Amino acid sequence: MNQINLQIFNLWKKYGHLSFRCMNRIPLFYSKPKKDCLLYVGLNPSFNEKFITKIEQENDINYNWKRDYLLTNKIIEKIVKIESGVKDENNNIYYKSYFGRLSRFAQKVGCDYEHVDIFFLRETNQTEVKKVIFDKGESLNEFAKAQIKLSFKIIEQTKPKVILVINALASKIYYNEFLRNQNINENGHYFTNIGREKIPTFLSGMLTGQRALDNYSLERLGWHIKQVIDKW
């Protein structure tokens, strides 16, 4: 993943002049992804100031970005280790409020999971995210397109059993960028083409937070995905 992380870093160097608060924050970097699993695809990493401050204090690191910031490989490796830790339930920095429900859902469908965001900017307010990724209307700008190109490379590396997009806006973008105007098939899902493989793909709203699916809709979604995995 070193090459992809370097490209993410270079994107922030190139677009660091953009006057959005998320551009003052270190972007999301990735460790080598798990393979052959349920792949969650989100919109972008959130920015919980209280949680980030705790991470900074405990790990002697600063999430503040400067365009001339010298991110050495050692610093990037530390950030990557932190990103892995927030998804690990055995780690003291585990972000349970988000990844806890994702973990339980994956267990119910019978497989491990991985998580990828299509954008790397850290921002909780989706209205602010839209300002960064869209030109006028809902046309993705060049900065957004460059991030999507890299995120799909990560998606390809996971070689997932099934893909579940877990944000309404992310689902809309994912459909337009990767599903090529497909119609939903007779089994109730789409396909993402990864190499010669066709990966069953589900588009959904959020599984966590105030706008999360209710428990009954989540149960039905889990049943549906498990049916597809068992037959695939």
Side-chain angles (χ1 to χ4, degrees), residues 53-182:
T53 298
K54 178 177 180 291
I55 294 294
E56 289 178 326
Q57 293 173 346
E58 293 180 355
N59 293 273
D60 189 27
I61 198 167
N62 190 342
Y63 273 72
N64 183 51
W65 169 271
K66 295 180 181 178
R67 197 175 180 194
D68 59 351
Y69 192 70
L70 297 178
L71 274 180
T72 63
N73 287 336
K74 187 175 182 179
I75 294 175
I76 290 178
E77 286 174 3
K78 181 181 283 190
I79 295 170
V80 167
K81 186 176 180 180
I82 291 170
E83 299 295 350
S84 297
V86 299
K87 295 186 286 187
D88 181 1
E89 62 185 22
N90 296 315
N91 197 300
N92 66 340
I93 59 171
Y94 180 50
Y95 199 38
K96 184 177 180 180
S97 61
Y98 183 76
F99 290 107
R101 198 174 200 194
L102 302 192
S103 177
R104 292 192 299 273
F105 184 84
Q107 289 172 12
K108 288 181 179 179
V109 302
C111 62
D112 201 355
Y113 79 94
E114 184 55 272
H115 183 281
V116 173
D117 283 310
I118 54 177
F119 301 113
F120 313 126
L121 54 99
R122 299 180 189 275
E123 177 58 64
T124 301
N125 188 322
Q126 190 164 289
T127 299
E128 293 299 315
V129 175
K130 290 179 179 180
K131 292 177 183 178
V132 181
I133 64 175
F134 289 134
D135 285 328
K136 293 181 179 179
E138 291 192 353
S139 176
L140 292 172
N141 58 36
E142 293 304 311
F143 182 42
K145 290 177 181 178
Q147 291 177 75
I148 286 174
K149 184 177 180 180
L150 289 178
S151 63
F152 193 71
K153 288 183 179 180
I154 303 170
I155 290 170
E156 288 178 317
Q157 289 188 25
T158 67
K159 298 180 180 179
K161 290 182 177 179
V162 64
I163 295 171
L164 174 58
V165 187
I166 52 173
N167 174 282
L169 178 58
S171 291
K172 183 176 182 179
I173 294 171
Y174 191 97
Y175 179 84
N176 291 335
E177 294 296 317
F178 303 137
L179 302 183
R180 311 298 183 191
N181 298 315
Q182 291 180 35

Side-chain angles (χ1 to χ4, degrees), residues 1 5 8 41 49 72 95-96 111 117 140 148 186 190 192 194 198 200 202-203:
M1 296 301 294
N5 285 334
I8 294 172
V41 177
E49 291 193 26
T72 63
Y95 199 38
K96 184 177 180 180
C111 62
D117 283 310
L140 292 172
I148 286 174
E186 65 276 9
Y190 302 93
T192 298
I194 296 181
K198 291 183 178 294
F202 293 82
L203 304 181

